[in-house]
Amino acid sequence: MSFDPQQSGLPVMDERTAEERILAGLDDEQRAVATTLNGPLCVLAGAGTGKTRAITHRIAYGVHTGVYNPNRLLAVTFTARAAAEMRTRLRDLGVGTVQARTFHAAALRQLQYFWPHAVGGQLPGLLDYKAQIIAEAARRLRLPTDRAAVRDLAAEIEWAKVSMLTPETYLLKAEDRGEPGGLDKVAVGRLFQAYEDVKADRNLIDFEDVLLITVGILQEDPRVAATVRDQYRHFVVDEYQDVSPLQQRMLDLWLGGRDELCVVGDASQTIYSFTGATPRHLLDFPKRYPEANVVKLVRDYRSTPQVVGLANSLLGNRRSGGLSADALWSKPLELIAQRPNGPASEFLECSDDEAEAAAVASRIKALMANGTQASEIAVLFRTNGQSEAYEQALTAANVGYQLRGGERFFARKEVRDAMLQLRAASRAAEDEALGQLVRDVLHNLGYQEEAPKTGGAVRERWESLSAIVALADELVVSRSTPEHTFTLIDFVAELQDRATAQHAPTVQGVTLASLHSAKGLEWDAVFLVGLSEGLMPISFADTPETVDEERRLLYVGITRAREFLNFSWSTARTPGGRANRRPSRFLDGLRPNTSASAPASARLPGTKKSRKAVGPSVCRVCGKILSTGAERKTGRCADCPPGYDEAVFEELREWRLGEATSANVPAFVVFTDATLMAIAEAAPQDLDALAALPGVGPSKLERYGEDVLDIVANG
């Protein structure tokens, strides 16, 4: 039975006018997405091709034509911010009752509703952070852990759970997962079980449990499954390349064998495989649904031809480590630029990290002097530890900045104070223009039209208040209709909704962000910094698959830029240091007068080309054959006495913790405990001797070699 918009509470208008309004401005491919309303639909959408526009207009078109009931369609995405943006767009298209949620938010809502009926009693408390519980589990097992190790173990447990592994099955599936927290697989499995036990003792569940328990209820209780399937008849899943096996299982249970599903994604933007995400579901969608319509969005409306050309070349230079054995589906989408020509991208080599940061700050000042807004400029790096140099350089240049991933906008004191003042003012608001009302209220908190000349806390406070004023000016235009003027009461409600979804307004200031956290965002000017081997690709990317993901991460960075794009790297870490860094292999073929680098298999240790046959390793103390990787690294049995200086080993561990914290990576990816033991025992005196040790590859040698030799020599 079709849905009658006359009975929906939606604005009633001439149907032809509604359809024309919704479809107006869409290109042919976007229009194909918007008008394909039934059956399975797979949208392969490249960066900047208007995928969110296409799917939100599809939903609106389906509702206005009566094909969709807005209360029975669920749109799912991966971040609260993306879900909030989708809800905003749907509201602007007149279909604000359509639900747009993250997988976790949708599952939690269902779990809260069905728990009393399916399980009984009160829903356990939701655990926001795993660190404390993991530390308690480690203490129960008398396992040594530090802060970095706890973070690594939390990430490993999350990966295991979204991969639908238990503590028992973890050992069978985690052979290639390294040594998280410096622990072997058996110890991690025991810790995993202890973590689950501590949660049970305290009547807590974590975010992965929300999905797992909801999946369990849907599988075991036919009444619950029937209720959910009756509630939701159509599904839209954005960023489908990031779906984990657990999320896919939940989606399958929601569908219950039906095929009213639209998925949207781009395998070339798969950058979260370390969390359990896999593009396999996107790549195999046409095989799973042979009758599916497949639409490719390749017209790039975001970036200039210069930026698009570099993005296409980066993926075109890929030699191995593809996403699919099927050549047709592993071939990346080739974007077609729709914007006019822009400036040529810049490639900048600097003598050291400090000089690189200063050069980037100087170019940012020049852009701003020529009219580019600070909020339209971003500096993107591989690890969060790289941000400090750019914070200092921008401060020295008197340029304001915001650190993405730092304190959340709605948690700032001035923002909380502003919301309280605006809420109070809304109770007695005069018939005055919204923009002026907001300015008057925030003036009492220190807002002024002109930005302060000073930096620091004063400037940051003004930036926050200015962002609220700018949002008010924007919404009074986009949300007002002939029948209703957007009021201060409406604005206060909007701020509260955004605070709940962490959908922050734009803050005036250069954005400093990691490449991972930049996904889904865009700026006029983007500076991609620290592009040297060991950072891009990161040193622990030592297989074709992980190197390929690093390439995709750089691709995401390139495609964030609309017009200006700057690549930079330094040849030394510190001023006066040895210039032994090389620019990233990914820049080969992009930089002028360079060609694409050799295939990954020729550059990576441990592949078939470079592997040599070796005999069994034996303990240098007792002569027994060594059976584990850790024993082979140290060259002795676990029970045999060590032959190293404990002080040197502990100093190496302390140095490793600092490196891991700075780079925001697990400690074991710098060096495992077994490798540090091998270094302490061998006491290498030069880089060649260090390179001969197991666990010290070319990238780690280049990045950490000198520091390690200094510790050994001075220990």
Side-chain angles (χ1 to χ4, degrees), residues 266 534 692:
D266 179 9

Side-chain angles (χ1 to χ4, degrees), residues 92 434 470-481 484-486:
D92 291 343
L434 174 63
L471 180 63
D473 290 342
E474 173 191 334
L475 293 180
V476 78
V477 173
S478 64
R479 297 286 178 80
S480 294
T481 67
H484 176 74
T485 300
F486 195 73

Side-chain angles (χ1 to χ4, degrees), residues 371-445:
T372 303
Q373 294 292 319
S375 61
E376 291 297 344
I377 302 173
V379 178
L380 306 182
F381 31 75
R382 177 60 179 85
T383 68
N384 289 327
Q386 296 171 260
S387 71
E388 184 177 359
Y390 295 91
E391 294 176 52
Q392 294 175 352
L394 291 172
T395 298
N398 195 29
V399 174
Y401 65 85
Q402 56 172 327
L403 187 61
R404 185 166 179 82
E407 183 184 26
R408 290 182 171 182
F409 180 84
F410 289 101
R412 299 175 186 174
K413 184 179 184 303
E414 62 269 20
V415 174
R416 288 185 276 116
D417 290 343
M419 291 178 67
L420 288 173
Q421 295 276 7
L422 290 168
R423 186 177 295 111
S426 69
R427 300 190 184 104
E430 300 291 337
D431 186 15
E432 188 178 352
L434 174 63
Q436 189 57 50
L437 272 172
V438 172
R439 284 171 170 78
D440 291 344
V441 172
L442 299 190
H443 178 76
N444 297 328
L445 298 175

Side-chain angles (χ1 to χ4, degrees), residues 57-108:
H57 282 244
R58 176 182 186 267
I59 293 169
Y61 186 75
V63 171
H64 280 288
T65 55
V67 176
Y68 300 155
N69 181 328
N71 299 314
R72 294 191 170 186
L73 186 149
L74 179 61
V76 188
T77 189
F78 281 81
T79 66
R81 188 184 189 282
E85 180 183 351
M86 189 176 291
R87 286 194 295 270
T88 298
R89 294 199 188 197
L90 291 171
R91 185 163 52 238
D92 291 343
L93 289 168
V95 289
T97 59
V98 172
Q99 293 186 40
R101 300 179 181 276
T102 65
F103 269 103
H104 281 94
L108 180 59

Side-chain angles (χ1 to χ4, degrees), residues 337-574:
Q338 304 296 302
R339 292 188 56 186
N341 279 320
S345 298
E346 294 186 0
F347 295 84
L348 177 64
E349 181 172 281
C350 300
S351 59
D352 53 71
D353 290 352
E354 186 177 315
E356 183 183 358
V360 167
S362 175
R363 280 163 170 73
I364 287 174
K365 286 206 74 171
L367 280 174
M368 293 173 62
N370 287 327
T372 303
Q373 294 292 319
S375 61
E376 291 297 344
I377 302 173
V379 178
L380 306 182
F381 31 75
R382 177 60 179 85
T383 68
N384 289 327
Q386 296 171 260
S387 71
E388 184 177 359
Y390 295 91
E391 294 176 52
Q392 294 175 352
L394 291 172
T395 298
N398 195 29
V399 174
Y401 65 85
Q402 56 172 327
L403 187 61
R404 185 166 179 82
E407 183 184 26
R408 290 182 171 182
F409 180 84
F410 289 101
R412 299 175 186 174
K413 184 179 184 303
E414 62 269 20
V415 174
R416 288 185 276 116
D417 290 343
M419 291 178 67
L420 288 173
Q421 295 276 7
L422 290 168
R423 186 177 295 111
S426 69
R427 300 190 184 104
E430 300 291 337
D431 186 15
E432 188 178 352
L434 174 63
Q436 189 57 50
L437 272 172
V438 172
R439 284 171 170 78
D440 291 344
V441 172
L442 299 190
H443 178 76
N444 297 328
L445 298 175
Y447 172 77
Q448 53 189 10
E449 290 292 334
E450 295 295 325
K453 303 299 182 184
T454 58
V458 173
R459 178 61 181 249
E460 290 177 7
R461 181 182 180 86
W462 181 86
E463 297 282 12
S464 297
L465 298 177
S466 178
I468 295 175
V469 171
L471 180 63
D473 290 342
E474 173 191 334
L475 293 180
V476 78
V477 173
S478 64
R479 297 286 178 80
S480 294
T481 67
E483 296 78 22
H484 176 74
T485 300
F486 195 73
T487 66
L488 184 56
I489 293 175
D490 297 326
F491 185 59
V492 168
E494 174 72 16
L495 285 176
Q496 187 56 54
D497 288 345
R498 284 173 171 254
T500 301
Q502 291 301 322
H503 183 194
T506 301
V507 175
Q508 285 298 322
V510 174
T511 298
L512 302 180
S514 71
L515 286 162
H516 280 102
S517 66
K519 179 80 161 54
L521 303 175
E522 58 186 80
W523 296 270
D524 285 345
V526 169
F527 291 80
L528 299 170
V529 302
L531 299 179
S532 60
E533 285 288 315
L535 281 172
M536 179 54 67
I538 199 73
S539 59
F540 55 85
D542 55 4
T543 66
E545 292 75 21
T546 54
V547 169
D548 199 56
E549 180 147 342
E550 292 288 298
R551 183 185 294 273
R552 297 195 298 270
L553 186 58
L554 183 58
Y555 173 80
V556 167
I558 290 174
T559 54
R560 301 309 96 195
R562 299 191 190 102
E563 190 167 0
F564 301 97
L565 185 58
N566 184 288
F567 301 82
S568 64
W569 62 94
S570 60
T571 57
R573 184 175 181 179
T574 57

Side-chain angles (χ1 to χ4, degrees), residues 320-321 533 537-548 585 598-611 698-699:
S320 66
E533 285 288 315
I538 199 73
S539 59
F540 55 85
D542 55 4
T543 66
E545 292 75 21
T546 54
V547 169
D548 199 56
R585 73 191 74 169
S601 59
R603 303 176 63 101
L604 295 169
T607 58
K608 289 184 178 179
K609 269 189 179 179
S610 62
R611 185 175 292 134
S699 296

